Amino acid sequence: MSEESPLPLDNPPEGRSVLVAGPPMTGKYDLMFRLLADAADRGIVITTGDPAETVSADFAEAAGVPADEVGVVDCVSRQQGLSVEDTERVRYVSSPKNITEIGMKFTDLFEVFREYDEPVAVGLHSLSQLLMFLDAQDVYQFVQVLTSQAESEGWFTVAVIGSTIHDERTLHTMYEPFDTVINTRENEEDGTRELRVRDRSQSSSTWTPF
């Protein structure tokens, strides 16, 4: 796990799943990896925006572990027309709209990583990309299955969503499968990135720099 100081949360996330929600350029991607790195030395990340090598390197840097400790479901490379084949740690999906294939490829890596004794952290970046192609209810059901599968092994899950590109109904649908929501923002006065933590009771921490 990361040897850096823990995140400055007044109320650290409890439970096994967290959704990071915020506007663009408020540090959601970096925060996801910091949370994953705090939770485990190994991870499986479903990526809809960055190729596998970028995601592996970013997790490895955050956690201070070799990149081969990271599994990736890459929904990007084949969509961009690259000819890539599955490897021991990377599974490629035709596009982010093929949610059935994403689930199958995740399950492939799930079976590989569950053989380890150490905990594994699961990341999904991002729900917003899935929602560009799929109905909110389909994404909701996918996330429910994903978080339940991870929780069955005691694994921690973090997903990311853009809070300003979806209507309130869609956002609240996406909030539902997660134990905790972390909101991010940019402070208007000094430009620092801040977060707050909200649990299922809707009680929130104060905004805290991170």
Side-chain angles (χ1 to χ4, degrees):
M1 298 182 189
S2 172
E3 295 182 359
E4 295 181 3
S5 59
L7 289 168
L9 303 179
D10 291 338
N11 300 298
E14 297 181 356
R16 300 210 177 272
S17 59
V18 171
L19 179 64
V20 178
M25 307 302 291
T26 56
K28 300 185 298 296
Y29 181 82
D30 292 340
L31 179 58
M32 178 188 76
F33 281 110
R34 289 176 65 183
L35 290 166
L36 293 173
D38 282 349
D41 289 337
R42 289 187 172 90
I44 302 173
V45 182
I46 299 170
T47 172
T48 61
D50 295 298
E53 56 268 24
T54 298
V55 171
S56 296
D58 289 342
F59 187 108
E61 181 179 3
V65 298
D68 61 8
E69 300 290 351
V70 186
V72 182
V73 179
D74 180 333
C75 308
V76 181
S77 296
R78 286 183 177 172
Q79 185 187 37
Q80 294 176 342
L82 299 178
S83 179
V84 287
E85 299 296 330
D86 289 352
T87 68
E88 183 181 2
R89 291 288 186 270
V90 181
R91 302 292 191 272
Y92 293 96
V93 177
S94 57
S95 82
K97 63 184 175 183
N98 195 335
I99 203 164
T100 299
E101 188 180 8
I102 295 172
M104 292 172 60
K105 298 288 187 172
F106 173 77
T107 298
D108 285 349
L109 288 176
F110 176 84
E111 294 299 331
V112 172
F113 277 75
R114 72 188 301 197
E115 297 300 319
Y116 295 112
D117 293 331
E118 298 85 358
V120 177
V122 176
L124 198 171
H125 189 277
S126 75
L127 294 181
S128 292
Q129 188 74 13
L130 298 180
L131 289 164
M132 289 177 61
F133 301 102
L134 299 160
D135 180 83
Q137 285 299 320
D138 291 334
V139 178
Y140 168 83
Q141 291 174 5
F142 170 75
V143 172
Q144 273 203 316
V145 172
L146 179 75
T147 54
S148 296
Q149 196 170 3
E151 187 173 356
S152 71
E153 292 294 316
W155 296 357
F156 184 66
T157 304
V158 184
V160 172
I161 191 168
S163 62
T164 56
I165 58 178
H166 308 290
D167 58 47
E168 284 299 315
R169 181 175 181 179
T170 299
L171 282 175
H172 285 285
T173 298
M174 294 301 101
Y175 291 165
E176 182 59 31
F178 295 91
D179 298 306
T180 302
V181 174
I182 297 180
N183 298 113
T184 61
R185 72 177 185 183
E186 184 178 280
N187 186 296
E188 294 181 357
E189 295 182 358
D190 59 13
T192 59
R193 291 171 172 175
E194 298 178 329
L195 61 77
R196 70 178 180 187
V197 183
R198 188 175 65 207
D199 61 24
R200 285 188 175 274
S201 70
Q202 299 300 306
S203 62
S204 298
S205 68
T206 58
W207 287 100
T208 307
F210 73 97

